[in-house]
């Protein structure tokens, strides 16, 4: 093959290869259009970059076949062919500027630039003029539709974020404005303060125990509660007040009443409910917990007590129960004239007395009924029925007032300094000291029940009917509230 023939062959090859425009949305191809010219990318890196930015293909890999059709250049940028068969060339430094997304028109600011280009100064080269075309770099922002869409989407997303933040804020505020257990879920200190449960987790463990049968709770009717409160139920209820609480918040309210000793009016304000509703909740929950917790036998067998006996008791290994008394003040209906809050200081009240038995390792194992305050410790012990549970092989540890030796079959550990015995042998003195030391621990345990602030104040008439149950519930609850009692005891 001669050299001439080879050249013809290559020319044919070249003609067969159809060029395509690589600008997005442009379908120009040399196959169908002989009018258009196709221009390769410039070698100059900066200029090439400006091409890519303008045609919106930043990540595009430029090859020798990558072409941009003449549709994207202004007339001024294209140099007409010098001969009839010659190719059209681009001005030096020309950058594609006309696209479908700008309607193949140059935005107004650039027009002025081209105006300047059309009147070139002889001293400045074309390239320099083209290069200082500032608008070419701003093609992105000069295109109206997609930019507008982008802004709209951005704005939409910003608004959504703002809405999310506000919703979160509203929920937090709602939580703060409504008094309930959920509000204190993150604060064990507050849980301890309001419920006497050591932590939110412990409270929830107790709730899981109670919850399955909550729906079977016998509710005190509104009329009955009103009767108890000795007042007519006000039919007008402020609209902002909540009609009812979630069961878990009712329990929370009940525990607050018991532990913190908050007044019904105070609770009504905190929970945003009527005082009569507070009264109903307290009565219902007292009865419910009394039945539920009371159904579990709390008396512990001697072997189990021995198995858990703390080291402190090694000198009194047969101790089955440690006994103490507590007193409650209860409002009496004897003087209706003085029932109003105005005369609260003159409210008449009676004292009631109950007996609590505790196993050496801490749990409450016996709760008596309440008796009139005038009853002696001995008489209270006799009436409580605890003596029936004690056998000869057991021992009961009592406080100084309990002179019960003659009414039980079992051994009695009692601080003997109040005993009538005139002389005390040396071993007995030691024993006395030991018992006294143990009683400090015991009193600490009993204190936990007594620490329920409700028992510090006069129990109002509205719940006076269930005082016996309230006392029992407080004692039984202490077993659930002081789960680590045994551990603390050993220390
Ligand atoms: Zn094109």
């Amino acid at each position: 093959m001669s050299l001439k023939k080879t050249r013809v062959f290559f020319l044919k090859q070249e003609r067969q290869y159809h060029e395509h425009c690589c600008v997005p949305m442009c379908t120009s191809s040399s196959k169908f259009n002989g009018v258009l010219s196709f221009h390769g990318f410039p070698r100059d890196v900066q200029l090439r970059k400006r091409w890519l930015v303008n045609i919106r293909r930043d990540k595009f890999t430029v090859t020798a076949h990558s072409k941009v059709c003449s549709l994207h250049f202004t007339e001024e940028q294209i140099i007409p062919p010098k001969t009839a068969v010659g190719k059209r060339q681009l001005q030096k430094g020309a950058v594609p500027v006309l696209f479908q997304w700008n309607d193949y028109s140059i935005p107004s600011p650039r027009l002025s630039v081209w105006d300047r280009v059309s009147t070139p100064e002889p001293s400045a080269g074309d390239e320099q003029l083209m290069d200082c075309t500032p608008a070419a770099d701003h093609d992105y922002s000069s295109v109206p539709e997609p930019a507008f869409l982008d802004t709209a989407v951005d704005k939409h997303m910003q608004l959504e974020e703002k809405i999310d933040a506000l919703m979160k804020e509203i929920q937090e505020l709602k939580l703060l404005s409504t008094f309930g257990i959920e509000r204190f879920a993150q604060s064990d200190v507050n849980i301890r303060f309001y419920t006497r449960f050591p932590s939110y987790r412990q409270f929830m463990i107790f709730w899981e125990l109670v919850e399955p049968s909550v729906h079977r709770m016998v509710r005190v009717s509104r009329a009955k509660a009103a009767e108890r409160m000795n007042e007519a139920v006000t039919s007008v209820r402020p609209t902002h007040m909540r009609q009812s609480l979630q069961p878990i918040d009712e329990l929370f309210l009940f525990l607050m009443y018991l532990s913190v000793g908050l007044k019904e009016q105070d609770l009504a304000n905190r929970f945003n409910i009527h005082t009569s509703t507070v009264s109903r909740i307290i009565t219902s929950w007292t009865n419910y917990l009394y039945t539920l917790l009371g159904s579990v036998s709390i008396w512990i067998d001697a072997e189990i007590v021995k198995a858990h006996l703390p080291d402190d008791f090694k000198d009194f290994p047969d101790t089955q129960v440690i006994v103490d008394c507590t007193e409650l003040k209860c409002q009496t209906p004897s003087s209706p004239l003085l029932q109003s809050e105005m005369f609260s200081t003159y409210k008449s009240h009676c004292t009631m007395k109950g007996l609590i038995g505790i196993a050496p390792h801490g749990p409450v194992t016996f709760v008596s009924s309440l008796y009139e305050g005038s009853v002696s410790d001995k008489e209270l012990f006799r009436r409580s029925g605890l003596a029936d549970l004690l056998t000869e092989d057991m021992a009961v540890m009592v406080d100084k007032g309990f002179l019960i030796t003659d009414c039980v079959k079992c051994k009695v550990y009692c601080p003997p300094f109040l005993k009538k015995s005139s002389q005390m042998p040396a071993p007995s003195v030691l024993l006395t000291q030991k018992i006294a030391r143990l009683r400090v621990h015991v009193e600490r345990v009993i204190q936990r029940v007594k620490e329920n602030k409700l028992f510090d104040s006069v129990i109002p008439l509205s719940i006076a009917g269930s005082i016996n149950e309230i006392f029992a519930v407080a004692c039984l609850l202490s077993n659930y509230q002081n789960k680590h009692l045994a551990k603390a005891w050993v220390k």
Side-chain angles (χ1 to χ4, degrees), residues 23 38 89 109 146 180 220 241 367 376 405 447 455 478:
V23 171
F38 292 80
Q89 302 280 321
V220 177
M241 271 191 183
V367 184
S376 72
T405 329
Q447 196 60 35
F455 304 142
S478 76

Side-chain angles (χ1 to χ4, degrees), residues 21 23 26 28 68-69 71-72:
C21 180
V23 171
C26 179
S28 299
V68 174
C69 78
L71 281 175
H72 311 295

